[in-house]
Amino acid sequence: MRQLTGFDCAGERLAATLDTASGTTGLLIASGGNEIRIGAHRGMAELAAAVAAAGHPVFRYDRRGIGDSTGENNGFETSAEDIRAAAAAFRAQCPQLSRIVAFGNCDAATALALFHGDAGIDALLLGNPWTIEGDDALPPAAAIRSRYLEKLKSPREVLRLLTGGVNIAKLISGLSKVSAKPSQPPESLAARLATALATAQVPTTILLAERDNTALAFADHWHGPAFAPARARVTLAPCPTDSHSFARPQDKAWLRSQILAALTD
């Protein structure tokens, strides 16, 4: 049964949806970006229904300033209280719970990695964690590099380049970004995420849509030295798709199977 509910957080009222089930392991879903709890293409609502049908309660919510929740939307970096309050509300409304697995995509994945420690969360599933900083109009360098490599394998794309069918100014901008030395100051988002993953005290799995730009940017950091301690502790599960929200039927099935496996561990 699906119930509309809510809970208090830092003086605001947050909207939530509970899909009830009798299981003692529940799924907490944190929404990414400015998405409401239904998710892109209704993906999170459909996922919640499937997981509840398998016997696990599911709790979704809109963080402060998003959707039906009151307050200011100050981004994922300020969502620690939202995550903590949501987990507490989930336990209060499903008192049979002995374990909470949390799932988030994009910046919600990063927020869960950074802030789960005070929320009593027992395992993490992190989809396409957000590591991108800066506001230029180009995709991340890792995504540009991947696209160029694919194009160089295509005789048609090489012919386009030789015959003037490629925007040279855009090409030069992209090559400049790819060749620039990456900046990794100690307090960068990627560095903080690397530390959070390396020190997490709960089982953690990263779910990557292999050809998604956000996932490509994360993977570029993941294979670097800063993430070496995290690689020894965290499981990486790739999905062969470019869909950031795992929207295609086969992607939805893959995501559902990963989540159900974590819930039954």
Side-chain angles (χ1 to χ4, degrees):
M1 181 182 296
R2 177 163 290 173
Q3 301 174 358
L4 297 181
T5 183
F7 58 97
D8 295 325
C9 174
E12 304 296 343
R13 187 67 179 172
L14 274 57
T17 303
L18 173 65
D19 286 71
T20 60
S22 60
T24 58
T25 298
L27 178 67
L28 175 68
I29 298 178
S31 298
N34 295 325
E35 248 174 42
I36 60 174
R37 62 192 184 275
I38 197 172
H41 318 289
R42 295 187 56 85
M44 294 303 99
E46 293 174 359
L47 175 64
V51 170
H56 304 281
V58 184
F59 194 83
R60 297 174 282 128
Y61 66 96
D62 295 339
R63 74 164 189 257
R64 282 172 290 174
I66 297 293
D68 296 321
S69 294
T70 65
E72 293 290 327
N73 174 15
N74 292 314
F76 76 96
E77 291 265 27
T78 66
S79 64
E81 287 186 86
D82 306 66
I83 292 169
R84 184 167 57 249
F90 192 12
R91 290 189 184 278
Q93 296 188 36
C94 295
Q96 82 275 18
L97 288 179
S98 60
R99 184 167 171 261
I100 290 179
V101 176
F103 167 69
N105 193 38
C106 196
D107 64 24
T110 301
L112 285 171
L114 295 174
F115 306 133
H116 71 279
D118 293 331
I121 288 168
D122 302 289
L124 295 173
L125 291 167
L126 309 177
N128 305 315
W130 181 258
T131 56
I132 301 167
E133 295 181 287
D135 57 1
D136 65 60
L138 290 172
I144 295 172
R145 184 163 53 247
S146 175
R147 301 293 186 266
Y148 283 168
L149 289 173
E150 286 300 313
K151 287 180 180 296
L152 288 174
K153 295 176 185 178
S154 167
R156 178 179 297 178
E157 292 297 329
V158 173
L159 181 62
R160 285 185 65 228
L161 176 63
L162 295 176
T163 57
V166 172
N167 185 324
I168 297 298
K170 186 175 180 180
L171 174 63
I172 291 171
S173 296
L175 289 173
S176 297
K177 185 164 186 177
V178 169
S179 61
K181 185 177 180 180
S183 175
Q184 183 87 323
E187 293 302 315
S188 72
L189 180 58
R192 288 188 288 132
L193 179 59
T195 299
L197 292 174
T199 58
Q201 299 300 305
V202 299
T204 302
T205 299
I206 293 172
L207 309 174
L208 282 189
E210 287 183 313
R211 299 189 303 278
D212 164 62
N213 283 354
T214 301
L216 286 166
F218 171 80
D220 206 36
H221 290 294
W222 175 255
H223 295 295
F227 277 81
R231 291 197 297 270
R233 301 171 59 92
V234 175
T235 300
L236 189 71
C239 179
T241 183
D242 60 358
S243 175
H244 179 70
S245 57
F246 303 98
R248 298 187 180 91
Q250 65 271 25
D251 304 335
K252 290 180 180 180
W254 180 87
L255 178 62
R256 185 169 60 249
S257 69
Q258 294 289 324
I259 287 175
L260 288 175
L263 290 165
T264 55
D265 277 353

